[in-house]
Amino acid sequence: MGELVVVENVTLDGVMQAPGGAEEDTRGDFRYGGWARPYADHVAAATMGEGMAADGALLFGRRTYTDFHGFWAGQGDGNPYTEVLNRKAKYVVSRTLAGPLPWQRSTLLAGPVADAVARLKRDVAGDIVVLGSGVLVRSLAAAGLVDQYTLSIHPLILGAGTRLFDEPAYREMSLVGTVTTTTGVIIASYRPAVTA
C-alpha cells in the first residue's frame, strides 16, 4: 500500500505558482515565474534527490505532466533527475488528455479522481509523489487522500499567485522532519494530525 506525498515549492505567503520559470504558468497575469530558482543549492538537490530515488511512482495533473515531459524527457544523460523521472511509473489525471501518453511508463487514470487515486494507493508499493499539480493536490486534500506534505518554504513573499491552500479549511498538521538549505529555504515535512 502506497502513501501519497505532495512535494511543493511555496513562498512564505503560500504561493506555489510557477516556481521554475517565467513561462511556466502565467494564469491570472502572474509575472513572478521562476521565483524559486535563486534559492537552489546542493542541500535542496540532495534532499529532493533522496526522495526521488525511493521506490514508488509519480502522480501528475495534466499541466504539470505536460511541462515535465516537455523538459525532462529530452534531457541528456548525466542529469540524475532525468534517469529517475524516465524510469518511474507516472500516473496522470486529466479530463482532456487521451492515451497513449507520450512519456515512457505513463498511464492515464480513468474515472473519478478520488476513486482512481484511492485505488492507486492500494496498488502501488512505496510513495506516490505528486509534484506541482496544484488543482489536483487541492482535490486530493479535500478527499483526505494526502498522507504527507513536503514543502520547500522559500524566504519570499509575493503577494499574488495561486496558493497551495486557497480555501479556508481547518487542518492540524504534525511536523515530521526539517532541513534548512544554505539559501534559507526550509524543507519541512508534515503529516495530517490524527484527531481523536
Side-chain angles (χ1 to χ4, degrees):
M1 177 135 184
E3 287 202 337
L4 192 68
V5 179
V6 168
V7 176
E8 299 289 353
N9 287 293
V10 295
T11 62
L12 287 175
D13 56 341
V15 174
M16 63 172 291
Q17 186 171 356
E23 302 303 318
E24 184 178 351
D25 182 357
T26 59
R27 289 178 287 183
D29 294 323
F30 186 71
R31 56 185 196 275
Y32 302 114
W35 52 264
R37 286 186 173 197
Y39 298 95
D41 76 347
H42 67 283
V43 176
T47 303
M48 291 298 120
E50 288 173 19
M52 292 295 294
D55 290 338
L58 299 170
L59 176 63
F60 295 104
R62 178 204 48 86
R63 178 183 288 269
T64 304
Y65 174 80
T66 302
D67 288 349
F68 268 61
H69 173 255
F71 182 80
W72 288 106
Q75 294 296 306
D77 293 339
N79 186 313
Y81 292 122
T82 301
E83 188 275 327
V84 170
L85 288 167
N86 286 334
R87 175 180 46 82
K88 281 199 180 241
K90 293 165 281 294
Y91 298 92
V92 184
V93 173
S94 174
R95 290 185 292 267
T96 58
L97 290 177
L101 297 174
W103 201 357
Q104 64 195 37
R105 302 204 63 211
S106 295
T107 303
L108 187 62
L109 295 179
V113 173
D115 295 341
V117 173
R119 280 192 304 276
L120 193 62
K121 287 178 67 172
R122 285 192 299 269
D123 295 343
V124 171
D127 291 342
I128 302 163
V129 176
V130 184
L131 302 171
S133 307
V135 173
L136 174 61
V137 167
R138 286 188 288 279
S139 69
L140 297 173
L145 292 170
V146 178
D147 297 296
Q148 181 171 309
Y149 294 89
T150 298
L151 307 178
S152 292
I153 306 165
H154 292 67
L156 174 68
I157 296 171
L158 295 178
T162 303
R163 288 170 170 73
L164 176 58
F165 302 107
D166 65 346
E167 295 180 18
Y170 181 84
R171 296 183 188 118
E172 289 186 19
M173 298 284 174
S174 296
L175 180 67
V176 294
T178 60
V179 173
T180 302
T181 74
T182 63
T183 59
V185 174
I186 298 171
I187 303 171
S189 294
Y190 298 92
R191 295 181 72 83
V194 177
T195 55

